[in-house]
Amino acid sequence: MMNVEFNRNEDVMKLSLSQLQKHLHQINQGGGKKAIEKQREKNKLTPRERIAYLCDQAKPFIEIGAFAGWEMYEEYGGCPAGGTVAGIGYVSGRQCVIVANDQTVKAGAWFPITGKKNLRMQEFSMENRLPIIYLVDSAGVFLPMQDEIFPDKEHFGRIFRNNARMSAMGITQIAAVLGACVAGGAYLPIMSDETLMVEGNGSIYLAGPYLVKAAIGEEVDNETLGGAVTHNEISGIADYKFKTEQDCLDQVKNIIGKLGHSKTAGFDRVKSLPPAKNVAELYGVIPADSTKPYDMIEVIDRIVDGSMQAGTSSLEQFKADYGKTIICGYARIEGWAVGIVANQRKIVKSRKGEMQMGGVIYNDSADKAARFIMNCNQKKIPLVFLQDVTGFMVGSRSEHAGIIKDGAKMVNAVANSVVPKITIVIGNSYGAGNYAMCGKAYDPRFIYAWPSAKIAVMGGDQAAKTLLQIQVSSMKAKGKLVTPAEEQKLLNDIKGKYEKQTSPYYAAAHLWVDAIIDPVETRTVISEGIFAANQNPVIEEFKTGVIQV
């Protein structure tokens, strides 16, 4: 399907991916070369090196929250990756959640976004019943921002509450203490199932030597107060001690390798087939201009498995000729059975012969999607949402036809779904369309964004013009005349700020999405997400409550 427009789209996407890799390279430096050198002097690995050593090399590692804190906290020097490197990978053949403090970033101290990221990782573990491994090396709460990380429900203390709840749920938690573990943070390894420590570097205590001296006048060194020998031989708090990090991580592998196996949810999987169309062509099928229409089927055919009949995809459309601005259908991704709900971005003709705008949810589309989502819950089929939506249709005709009622029906079905939901934000994700298509507020098990994603209450042009009208009206009310040139400058300033907030980097920085991914990785992240979800055998009964019909 190569043509000039395809090539132009491909160039823009590859340029965006190049920028993505550049940013990731910067993030991967953590607190910088000097901080990494200090780690080396103590015979310590960086968090990424620890994870690489721990994980099975032949299996995928899906990093979560690499952009957490991106361009935030600049007055404090920044907080790359939220001061924590984390993701889902395989250890001794078992899929696990891994959370590693980055001591090179403010001594591993917790910023507000650090807490949010760590809670998200525990959420993955609880929702999917995955073992979780903590690689501990942290100075505790970042004191200049203690009021934003310490006392509230979703703050630092929630971590330890979750430790207790996860233990009661039977979820394995392993803590490898590779550096400092101070104050309230000292509870995390002790509330884990097993605690491992490295001699000379690992330490656990409620108060460090300086605070002990200030509080009670006692002079004591790190090792005597809370080192590996102290907690393995005297207090009995820790379970193992090792001379090197590598030995410690080897024991983590041994522990995980001996875990028993539980029942699964039983989601259907068969042998995987490659997509009917070239996956690499995903770079060119999405228009560089997010306002332009395109056929979402072209995207789906490059994500889902092909069928046994060469050149055709496994997508089986549900109500193909009804509610055409949303595509619903059954397919397979890496062999997993999935139900797909995707916004159709091309202009389509309704059953009444009217032309409908692509990316807009109409009454019939919402009605169809709600029914399909309920079907997938009935059949225990995981749902995949492919978002490129500008919102619900507005205007008197839609209002009279009950668009709010039909939209509420779809939102109700999404909110009450009990099967795992995985969301991929491909392009626009605006307004209530974000909600209906399973945005972050609707508990997707995993949510990823392409570099082309835009997330906001409305499109940049509409929002900027609306805000401009408000500002200009306010200025005129105060008796200030606004020239056309001043008005244009105001518009440009508003649009620039707004567009920054709609970018996938802004979304990822605030953890509205779990990661920004290369489009060709879409099949892998969906497959790994369903594999994780399948580890939780408990699926609640599906109920929708009251729905207007």
Side-chain angles (χ1 to χ4, degrees):
M1 65 178 291
M2 298 293 183
N3 54 44
V4 174
E5 185 177 358
F6 179 96
N7 292 336
R8 187 184 301 115
N9 295 340
E10 184 179 44
D11 289 344
V12 170
M13 179 62 81
K14 287 186 174 180
L15 186 63
S16 297
L17 289 170
S18 176
Q19 189 74 8
L20 175 67
Q21 292 305 317
K22 181 181 177 182
H23 292 330
L24 285 172
H25 177 74
Q26 180 183 341
I27 288 168
N28 290 351
Q29 303 308 305
K33 290 183 179 179
K34 287 185 178 180
I36 292 173
E37 286 170 5
K38 286 184 179 179
Q39 289 278 93
R40 300 267 190 266
E41 290 168 6
K42 298 176 184 177
N43 294 318
K44 294 170 73 174
L45 302 173
T46 67
R48 294 180 189 281
E49 289 170 341
R50 289 166 177 167
I51 290 173
Y53 185 88
L54 186 63
C55 287
D56 300 347
Q57 297 306 303
K59 293 279 192 174
F61 175 76
I62 310 295
E63 182 169 355
I64 301 295
F67 281 95
W70 176 254
E71 295 186 339
M72 295 166 64
Y73 316 118
E74 292 182 344
E75 67 273 32
Y76 298 113
C79 184
T84 301
V85 181
I88 297 177
Y90 291 80
V91 177
S92 299
R94 297 293 291 271
Q95 195 179 42
C96 299
V97 175
I98 304 170
V99 183
N101 301 121
D102 190 347
Q103 208 274 340
T104 71
V105 179
K106 295 291 188 294
W110 286 50
F111 285 71
I113 198 66
T114 315
K116 188 173 183 179
K117 180 173 177 177
N118 280 262
L119 287 170
R120 177 63 170 155
M121 300 312 298
Q122 287 186 321
E123 185 177 42
F124 286 140
S125 179
M126 288 187 282
E127 286 186 332
N128 303 296
R129 298 297 196 276
L130 295 179
I132 185 167
I133 300 167
Y134 306 103
L135 304 181
V136 186
D137 195 347
S138 171
V141 167
F142 184 61
L143 290 178
M145 302 188 76
Q146 65 86 26
D147 62 318
E148 297 182 48
I149 183 58
F150 171 66
D152 211 345
K153 181 178 178 180
E154 299 297 330
H155 283 178
F156 190 67
R158 190 76 171 183
I159 298 291
F160 317 126
R161 176 266 186 194
N162 285 350
N163 287 143
R165 295 289 302 141
M166 292 160 73
S167 183
M169 293 166 67
I171 296 170
T172 298
Q173 300 177 81
I174 307 297
V177 182
L178 309 172
C181 189
V182 184
Y187 287 102
L188 183 144
I190 311 313
M191 296 185 77
S192 298
D193 298 351
E194 298 189 65
T195 303
L196 303 80
M197 298 183 71
V198 176
E199 294 182 49
N201 284 329
S203 58
I204 304 172
Y205 37 63
L206 293 180
Y210 294 117
L211 184 53
V212 168
K213 177 69 182 295
I216 64 173
E218 179 185 359
E219 292 194 14
V220 63
D221 62 69
N222 259 345
E223 283 299 302
T224 303
L225 181 64
V229 172
T230 292
H231 286 314
N232 276 271
E233 299 180 13
I234 300 174
S235 74
I237 280 174
D239 306 305
Y240 310 89
K241 66 178 187 292
F242 302 93
K243 296 292 185 184
T244 69
E245 288 194 8
Q246 288 85 347
D247 289 341
C248 182
L249 296 175
D250 283 339
Q251 180 61 17
V252 173
K253 295 179 187 181
N254 290 336
I255 294 169
I256 296 297
K258 293 180 175 66
L259 294 181
H261 295 266
S262 302
K263 293 180 180 179
T264 66
F267 300 129
D268 188 63
R269 191 178 197 183
V270 299
K271 184 178 179 181
S272 174
L273 292 172
K277 297 181 180 178
N278 187 354
V279 176
E281 290 176 355
L282 286 171
Y283 296 144
V285 297
I286 301 294
D289 181 348
S290 64
T291 66
K292 285 188 174 182
Y294 64 91
D295 189 353
M296 182 61 82
I297 291 293
E298 293 294 336
V299 174
I300 294 172
D301 284 349
R302 291 165 174 80
I303 291 176
V304 304
D305 292 4
S307 70
M308 296 301 291
Q309 184 179 347
T312 60
S313 77
S314 63
L315 179 67
E316 303 165 8
Q317 282 206 55
F318 174 81
K319 293 184 183 290
D321 298 320
Y322 178 77
K324 295 181 180 179
T325 64
I326 288 185
I327 298 166
C328 297
Y330 303 103
R332 291 190 180 275
I333 295 177
E334 296 284 355
W336 293 104
V338 296
I340 291 178
V341 181
N343 302 111
Q344 175 56 283
R345 280 304 310 273
K346 73 177 184 179
I347 298 170
V348 299
K349 184 181 291 186
S350 76
R351 64 190 188 281
K352 295 179 181 178
E354 302 162 341
M355 301 310 293
Q356 296 181 334
M357 293 184 290
V360 178
I361 302 176
Y362 289 78
N363 297 73
D364 51 0
S365 301
D367 178 65
K368 175 175 83 171
R371 176 62 181 269
F372 179 74
I373 290 164
M374 289 189 283
N375 277 354
C376 287
N377 277 274
Q378 185 87 342
K379 298 175 181 178
K380 301 295 185 290
I381 297 175
L383 285 159
V384 174
F385 292 83
L386 302 179
Q387 282 196 12
D388 195 344
V389 58
T390 53
F392 285 87
M393 190 59 190
V394 297
S396 60
R397 180 180 295 181
S398 291
E399 296 293 358
H400 295 170
I403 187 64
I404 299 174
K405 175 188 67 177
D406 291 324
K409 190 189 305 182
M410 181 177 175
V411 167
N412 195 313
V414 173
N416 285 297
S417 286
V418 295
V419 294
K421 299 168 290 191
I422 298 174
T423 300
I424 310 293
V425 186
I426 288 174
N428 303 317
S429 180
Y430 295 153
N434 169 280
Y435 302 156
M437 291 296 294
C438 198
K440 185 64 183 287
Y442 286 77
D443 297 321
R445 198 69 64 95
F446 300 90
I447 179 168
Y448 299 101
W450 286 8
S452 48
K454 293 183 179 181
I455 302 173
V457 72
M458 65 178 72
D461 286 335
Q462 301 97 307
K465 288 173 182 175
T466 302
L467 291 168
L468 177 67
Q469 289 174 26
I470 294 169
Q471 285 197 23
V472 169
S473 296
S474 176
M475 293 165 75
K476 287 180 178 178
K478 294 174 182 177
K480 183 177 179 181
L481 295 176
V482 184
T483 66
E486 289 174 329
E487 195 169 311
Q488 186 61 49
K489 184 179 184 303
L490 269 175
L491 179 63
N492 292 340
D493 290 345
I494 292 169
K495 191 173 179 181
K497 180 180 179 181
Y498 192 87
E499 287 186 346
K500 180 181 179 181
Q501 293 177 352
T502 67
S503 82
Y505 294 106
Y506 194 89
H510 293 80
L511 291 174
W512 301 342
V513 296
D514 296 319
I516 304 171
I517 63 168
D518 185 328
V520 300
E521 296 172 352
T522 303
R523 279 169 58 82
T524 298
V525 299
I526 292 173
S527 174
E528 288 301 307
I530 299 174
F531 187 94
N534 198 44
Q535 305 312 302
N536 183 354
V538 181
I539 301 178
E540 298 175 10
E541 182 183 355
F542 178 59
K543 298 178 181 179
T544 58
V546 177
I547 295 180
Q548 288 198 22
V549 295

